[in-house]
Amino acid sequence: MSHYEETMRATIGILLVFAFASAPLAAQQNVDAKKLFNEGNRSLNAGNFEQAIGRYNEALKLERHEFFLYQKGIALRRARRESDAVLAFQEAVKINPSFAPAYNALGTGYSALKDYDKSIVAYDKALELNPKLEPARKGLAAAQTRKAHALIDSGA
């Protein structure tokens, strides 16, 4: 057996171990929750924000998942319920503290609520996790600018 063939067999063996090790995780995903999540996404894309929020809530009753919470937060934001959106994004990062897009969304939410200090912290965390996340970079600059303007306006 050549060195190439030995390397390929070893690589395939490692891949099979990973595939079988992760199979129980995939099997644990709730099919009904995933269906509701997809329905929520369709409603969100169609502009039916309250219907989307309802579908995400139903999915979350079946399975707590950071993507479900993230999308719920997006729908809440589009429904102009920014405080509720922030709560959804906070829950998403509790489930997955490495979920950079949720920190970015938190930054946007805090900025909309004019809490620029928290916004800056959230954007910094998003960029720490993913330095190439351009919306976080732009959001950070905007939050810093808004904070400076607020300080100037307040006479501080």
Side-chain angles (χ1 to χ4, degrees):
M1 183 179 304
S2 73
H3 177 68
Y4 174 77
E5 290 171 325
E6 287 177 31
T7 303
M8 289 304 296
R9 277 184 186 227
T11 302
I12 290 170
I14 291 169
L15 291 174
L16 287 174
V17 168
F18 283 124
F20 287 116
S22 64
L25 292 174
Q28 289 176 1
Q29 287 184 340
N30 188 306
V31 174
D32 292 330
K34 201 171 186 180
K35 180 182 173 194
L36 289 163
F37 173 73
N38 289 332
E39 288 175 11
N41 288 340
R42 283 191 291 277
S43 295
L44 178 63
N45 289 333
N48 300 324
F49 308 130
E50 293 301 327
Q51 184 178 23
I53 294 163
R55 293 296 184 267
Y56 297 135
N57 283 336
E58 291 176 42
L60 285 161
K61 287 178 187 174
L62 300 174
E63 180 180 351
R64 298 232 10 112
H65 196 288
E66 68 266 26
F67 292 146
F68 298 177
L69 286 158
Y70 177 79
Q71 286 298 105
K72 177 183 173 182
I74 297 296
L76 286 163
R77 175 179 293 143
R78 291 190 183 162
R80 301 188 190 282
R81 294 170 49 190
E82 203 63 57
S83 295
D84 293 332
V86 165
L87 293 174
F89 298 133
Q90 287 172 336
E91 287 298 311
V93 298
K94 282 181 188 172
I95 292 172
N96 182 354
S98 298
F99 191 24
Y103 284 104
N104 179 64
L106 263 175
T108 302
Y110 285 134
S111 192
L113 296 173
K114 298 185 184 339
D115 191 338
Y116 302 118
D117 290 330
K118 286 183 181 178
S119 178
I120 290 166
V121 169
Y123 284 129
D124 279 338
K125 183 65 176 178
L127 288 167
E128 174 188 318
L129 294 168
N130 183 351
K132 295 181 181 180
L133 190 60
E134 193 58 32
R137 188 172 316 285
K138 289 178 181 177
L140 176 61
Q144 290 169 330
T145 301
R146 288 185 186 123
K147 180 180 177 179
H149 286 293
L151 288 170
I152 291 167
D153 292 344
S154 71

